[in-house]
Amino acid sequence: MKILLAAVNAKYIHSNLAVYSIRANAKEYRNQIELGEYTINQYTEDILQDIYGKKPELLAFSCYIWNIRQIKELVRELRKVLPTVPVWLGGPEASYDAKELLEHYPEVTGIMLGEGEESFYKLCRYYDGKLKSLSDIPGLAYRGGDTIVMQPMDHAADLSNLKFAYEDFSDFRHKIIYYESSRGCPFSCSYCLSSIDKSVRFRDLELVKRELQIFLDTKVPQVKFVDRTFNCKSSHAMEIWKYLVEHDNGVTNFHFEVAADLITEEELALFAVMRKGLIQLEIGVQSTNENTICEIRRKMDFRRVAEIVARIRDLGNIHQHLDLIAGLPEENYESFAKSFDDVFSLRPEQLQLGFLKVLKGSYMYENRDAYGLVYGSEPPYEVLFTNWITYDEMIRLKGIEQMVELYYNSHQYDKTLKAVLLEEASAFRFFESLAEDYRRHGYHLVNHSRKEKYYIMKDFLERRHPGKSEYYWELLKEEFNSREVRKIK
């Protein structure tokens, strides 16, 4: 039996941990499974042709908000060219919408609900004739005559019993590897699906260390831990971080999503002796509005977060990526401006201004009417406006997000921005004004070259700070010329 597990990733550099883990745990079918990894930037027709050429006898897709539209289109076309092949869906964007998907897409044979390793293995056994009925497999949704049969998983996977996901690293020379040492999250953030599984499960640390050593030995460029709050159990986090310090290969970078206010003095002491670039931290602040934090059922002490972020920044060896979410309950435009300035003042290496996604299955989704959440009908279900913030204001924030990405997160204008922002009362108002300038001149409609972006900033600063325009232009020229062969004079 030829089996294809297909993933449509957001970018070429991404990989899909789910399909690798499902294949690794398919036992005797492992060698019969081929992986097909594509990207949302490919033409649907090209993906269709590639899948057809592989001639699978069983096909399964890993579904997320970034790829579900394309997968829906694919399954309809696949039924035309591979009419007898069973097509199964899995992943969060299928699990929490299983009944509706099956009702609207007759081309879909069934859906795996939740964790897929055990369900997919048993599904292979069913199609191989070793199980008589789909009713023998927990964790599935499928058609049973005129009804949709829902068979939720009756137990969570023991992570220590799962096989290591990866075999050959030759395909990962230019890609990020994803890894998990735990599943679930102890917190209850209302916008997040991870909060549904509050029973955090950890993989045995000796197994984790052996698997990390494989990454270290093969010198993969980057490993991203997908643990939702990696340091929710300090002893677990410390063991892993100590191992990485002791076995550092001088090359591999490890990415962790952490709660900064949970970081201990012992962890800070360990951070201080790490090689620069050994680890990087992603810290979800989301908002500094106390009413918002309370309403989204999040636990965070921002004063403690600010202290920890500043102490880590002063070490000078760890990249910090801080997140904000626009569109949360109780957060209006002015409140978000304050949250932005609060977080920007910590000078993270990267500041991500994200927008609320109203995910099916989340507490936020269940309370969408009470919050006045109006959001996109199609994935990624991004909020358009709420009881607190208008669509006009969300458009303005979209412009500010673009400016932060182009001019702050790119690190191509660090000296200039550092100097300019000394003259500004608010970083938010600076990027707001820059975004308005972009829109006024129609710059936001064009993909500009690097040189053009420098001149756009030059013109903007001449209007905003005419008395210092020559000084800022010298800084901009210095930063441009340090990166380009063709210099600006």
Side-chain angles (χ1 to χ4, degrees):
M1 179 169 59
K2 187 170 183 180
I3 304 162
L4 178 63
L5 288 174
V8 184
N9 301 322
K11 296 179 180 179
Y12 171 76
I13 62 167
H14 295 171
S15 60
N16 185 295
L17 174 59
V19 295
Y20 285 91
S21 184
I22 287 171
R23 180 178 67 175
N25 288 279
K27 300 181 182 178
E28 68 265 27
Y29 300 98
R30 184 171 182 161
N31 293 330
Q32 298 175 44
I33 296 175
E34 184 176 357
L35 301 184
E37 286 198 273
Y38 309 97
T39 80
I40 58 173
N41 298 313
Q42 291 178 259
Y43 290 114
T44 301
E45 183 180 349
D46 291 341
I47 300 174
L48 175 71
Q49 291 176 9
D50 192 74
I51 291 173
Y52 175 80
K54 295 180 187 298
K55 296 292 189 292
E57 297 169 80
L58 172 61
L59 172 61
F61 285 97
S62 180
C63 303
Y64 300 87
I65 56 174
W66 60 79
N67 67 18
I68 189 65
R69 283 200 217 184
Q70 202 162 15
I71 288 173
K72 286 176 179 178
E73 185 180 350
L74 274 167
V75 296
R76 284 192 162 153
E77 302 309 313
L78 281 163
R79 179 50 52 95
K80 298 171 186 175
V81 297
L82 295 172
T84 63
V85 175
V87 177
W88 286 78
L89 307 183
E93 194 53 34
S95 288
Y96 295 102
D97 204 17
K99 190 171 186 295
E100 186 177 341
L101 275 170
L102 288 171
E103 287 172 347
H104 288 88
Y105 290 85
E107 301 86 358
V108 176
T109 309
I111 292 170
M112 289 173 283
L113 306 173
E115 299 174 349
E117 288 94 351
E118 182 178 334
S119 299
F120 190 76
Y121 168 60
K122 290 182 177 179
L123 204 58
C124 292
R125 297 194 73 211
Y126 168 76
Y127 284 106
D128 197 25
K130 294 177 181 177
L131 284 178
K132 292 184 178 180
S133 172
L134 290 175
S135 63
D136 297 328
I137 307 175
L140 299 183
Y142 57 93
R143 297 177 192 83
D146 296 329
T147 63
I148 304 295
V149 178
M150 302 288 288
Q151 295 168 186
M153 182 61 73
D154 54 8
H155 62 277
D158 182 338
L159 291 196
S160 298
N161 288 335
L162 296 181
K163 301 292 185 185
F164 183 51
Y166 301 104
E167 295 175 347
D168 180 8
F169 291 96
S170 60
D171 293 335
F172 291 96
R173 280 189 289 267
H174 305 293
K175 290 190 175 184
I176 299 167
I177 289 180
Y178 295 88
Y179 180 79
E180 64 181 344
S181 69
S182 68
R183 283 183 187 173
C185 183
F187 303 113
S188 303
C189 302
S190 63
Y191 53 83
C192 182
L193 292 177
S194 295
S195 63
I196 295 170
D197 184 2
K198 298 181 182 63
S199 57
V200 187
R201 292 158 286 144
F202 297 91
R203 191 161 173 80
D204 179 78
L205 278 167
E206 293 309 309
L207 273 177
V208 172
K209 291 174 184 177
R210 287 202 294 271
E211 291 161 359
L212 292 179
Q213 193 58 52
I214 296 172
F215 297 140
L216 292 164
D217 289 344
T218 50
K219 294 189 176 181
V220 297
Q222 187 177 52
V223 177
K224 280 197 172 186
F225 276 64
V226 298
D227 306 43
R228 298 311 303 162
T229 306
F230 176 75
N231 63 326
C232 65
K233 183 179 179 182
S234 181
S235 60
H236 180 84
M238 275 296 288
E239 277 294 302
I240 291 173
W241 283 333
K242 283 179 181 176
Y243 189 86
L244 295 180
V245 170
E246 293 166 0
H247 298 81
D248 182 15
N249 62 10
V251 174
T252 306
N253 167 263
F254 295 87
H255 177 107
F256 302 92
E257 185 175 327
V258 301
D261 47 346
L262 297 183
I263 290 175
T264 67
E265 292 298 324
E266 184 184 15
E267 290 164 359
L268 286 168
L270 184 62
F271 291 169
V273 301
M274 287 182 173
R275 165 181 61 86
K276 185 175 183 178
L278 174 61
I279 73 167
Q280 63 187 49
L281 302 177
E282 181 173 352
I283 299 165
V285 178
Q286 320 313 11
S287 171
T288 65
N289 181 324
E290 291 184 3
N291 291 335
T292 297
I293 294 299
C294 180
E295 190 60 38
I296 64 175
R297 309 194 298 180
R298 184 172 175 79
K299 295 180 180 179
M300 183 190 68
D301 178 352
F302 182 67
R303 284 186 292 271
R304 174 67 177 166
V305 169
E307 176 197 345
I308 294 299
V309 168
R311 290 174 67 181
I312 294 173
R313 181 194 67 223
D314 291 344
L315 294 175
N317 61 343
I318 295 175
H319 173 106
Q320 295 184 97
H321 174 146
L322 271 58
D323 298 335
L324 287 168
I325 297 178
L328 293 172
E330 302 288 342
E331 183 101 271
N332 61 24
Y333 188 82
E334 293 305 315
S335 166
F336 187 83
K338 182 180 182 304
S339 290
F340 182 99
D341 281 337
D342 288 342
V343 173
F344 192 89
S345 70
L346 303 178
R347 304 198 308 278
E349 280 72 22
Q350 186 167 14
L351 173 56
Q352 179 173 314
L353 199 172
F355 294 81
L356 177 66
K357 314 292 191 296
V358 185
L359 303 177
K360 294 175 183 178
S362 68
Y363 178 85
M364 188 71 69
Y365 176 81
E366 298 300 326
N367 288 272
R368 60 195 182 279
D369 293 336
Y371 296 142
L373 294 177
V374 177
Y375 55 93
S377 301
E378 296 294 327
Y381 314 114
E382 194 166 275
V383 70
L384 300 173
F385 58 90
T386 75
N387 286 341
W388 296 271
I389 197 163
T390 68
Y391 185 48
D392 281 329
E393 290 168 336
M394 293 299 284
I395 291 172
R396 287 163 68 186
L397 290 177
K398 283 283 184 179
I400 293 167
E401 176 203 23
Q402 183 187 15
M403 296 304 99
V404 171
E405 284 298 315
L406 289 179
Y407 289 101
Y408 180 76
N409 289 339
S410 69
H411 290 286
Q412 296 176 24
Y413 309 83
D414 285 350
K415 290 182 180 179
T416 306
L417 285 178
K418 184 177 180 181
V420 171
L421 290 171
L422 290 174
E423 305 293 323
E424 300 282 343
S426 161
F428 180 85
R429 298 305 174 191
F430 172 81
F431 288 110
E432 177 187 56
S433 182
L434 181 58
E436 289 170 356
D437 195 70
Y438 253 69
R439 185 167 290 275
R440 190 181 308 116
H441 289 89
Y443 296 149
H444 65 298
L445 301 174
V446 180
N447 187 16
H448 299 280
S449 69
R450 182 179 291 177
K451 185 175 182 179
E452 288 170 333
K453 284 183 281 191
Y454 275 83
Y455 275 103
I456 289 170
M457 177 62 84
K458 170 184 181 291
D459 294 343
F460 172 72
L461 292 178
E462 282 179 351
R463 291 188 292 273
R464 191 166 180 85
H465 295 289
K468 286 196 168 185
S469 60
E470 288 295 328
Y471 170 59
Y472 294 142
W473 179 227
E474 290 304 315
L475 289 176
L476 283 168
K477 284 195 294 185
E478 179 186 342
E479 295 195 282
F480 179 86
N481 291 339
S482 68
R483 292 178 171 86
E484 299 292 330
V485 174
R486 291 191 172 185
K487 311 295 183 183
I488 295 176
K489 295 181 180 179

